[in-house]
């Protein structure tokens, strides 16, 4: 059986040109993510307080070491979860600061997507794997590489 062509899958890099509109959209998205983290932090705090007061209500002796251990365990878990959320928030804040300082017309990585392509004998596979799409305000401005 002689195979002269083959379909393969590759990752294509998506880049965006930094424009005022792109910066505005990126900042809005990051601010929304920061707001969501803040909401989750508030919910977590309220849930933790509820659980602690429920444990205290259900016991006859709040000074019981087992009760104190249970409350301590709840508070430790709450602090771990808060710490993770605060790390996320800090990452978003750093990204927001980075976006605000990006120069206009600079190209930034936006992500990746998959694409199928055909190869034949004699094709340069390395070149065919290196394809990227450049967007300006969501519109394809350039397709770079060998399709």
């Amino acid at each position: 059986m002689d195979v002269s062509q083959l379909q393969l899958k590759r990752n294509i890099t998506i880049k965006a040109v930094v424009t005022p509109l792109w910066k505005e959209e990126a900042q809005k998205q990051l601010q929304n993510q920061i707001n969501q983290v803040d909401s989750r932090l508030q919910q977590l705090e309220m849930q933790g307080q509820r659980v602690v007061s429920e444990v205290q209500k259900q016991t006859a002796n709040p000074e019981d070491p087992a009760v104190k251990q249970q409350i301590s365990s709840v508070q430790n878990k709450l602090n771990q979860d808060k710490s993770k959320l605060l790390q996320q928030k800090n990452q978003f804040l750093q990204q927001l600061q980075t976006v605000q300082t990006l120069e206009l017309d600079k190209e930034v990585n936006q992500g990746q997507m998959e694409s199928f392509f055909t190869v034949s004998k004699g094709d340069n596979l390395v070149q065919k794997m290196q394809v990227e799409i450049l967007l300006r305000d969501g519109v394809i401005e350039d397709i770079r590489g060998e399709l």
Side-chain angles (χ1 to χ4, degrees):
M1 181 172 148
D2 184 24
V3 178
S4 60
Q5 290 190 328
L6 186 62
Q7 283 277 323
L8 299 176
K9 188 167 43 170
R10 65 181 162 204
N11 286 329
I12 295 179
T13 301
I14 308 295
K15 289 187 172 183
V17 175
V18 177
T19 65
L21 179 62
W22 182 91
K23 284 178 90 164
E24 183 181 323
E25 288 298 319
Q27 289 174 15
K28 276 184 195 173
Q29 287 178 356
L30 287 166
Q31 192 58 57
N32 285 341
Q33 290 172 316
I34 291 166
N35 293 343
Q36 287 175 355
V37 169
D38 284 340
S39 292
R40 290 201 309 250
L41 280 166
Q42 287 176 345
Q43 290 171 351
L44 196 60
E45 187 66 39
M46 288 188 302
Q47 287 172 345
Q49 289 173 356
R50 256 193 314 251
V51 169
V52 167
S53 68
E54 284 298 315
V55 168
Q56 289 171 338
K57 284 179 189 175
Q58 292 176 359
T59 183
N61 180 8
E63 297 301 315
D64 183 349
V67 172
K68 285 186 175 185
Q69 175 62 37
Q70 192 175 7
I71 290 172
S72 176
S73 175
V74 166
Q75 288 172 333
N76 284 340
K77 175 73 170 116
L78 177 68
N79 288 337
Q80 287 175 356
D81 291 348
K82 279 203 288 194
S83 178
K84 286 179 188 175
L85 286 172
L86 288 171
Q87 284 177 339
Q88 265 186 343
K89 182 177 178 177
N90 284 335
Q91 286 177 334
F92 292 142
L93 287 168
Q94 287 173 353
Q95 289 173 358
L96 184 60
Q97 187 175 19
T98 300
V99 164
Q100 290 169 341
T101 60
L102 283 174
E103 296 174 30
L104 293 180
D105 293 324
K106 182 177 179 172
E107 293 179 13
V108 293
N109 282 337
Q110 194 77 19
Q112 290 193 335
M113 63 181 0
E114 293 181 338
S115 132
F116 289 96
F117 67 107
T118 303
V119 291
S120 304
K121 290 179 184 177
D123 285 348
N124 185 325
L125 184 60
V126 173
Q127 286 180 342
K128 286 218 171 211
M129 294 294 291
Q130 297 172 343
V131 175
E132 61 186 30
I133 295 174
L134 182 65
L135 303 175
R136 183 179 296 269
D137 296 334
V139 177
I140 296 174
E141 183 172 282
D142 195 10
I143 299 173
R144 300 173 179 157
E146 200 176 310
L147 297 178

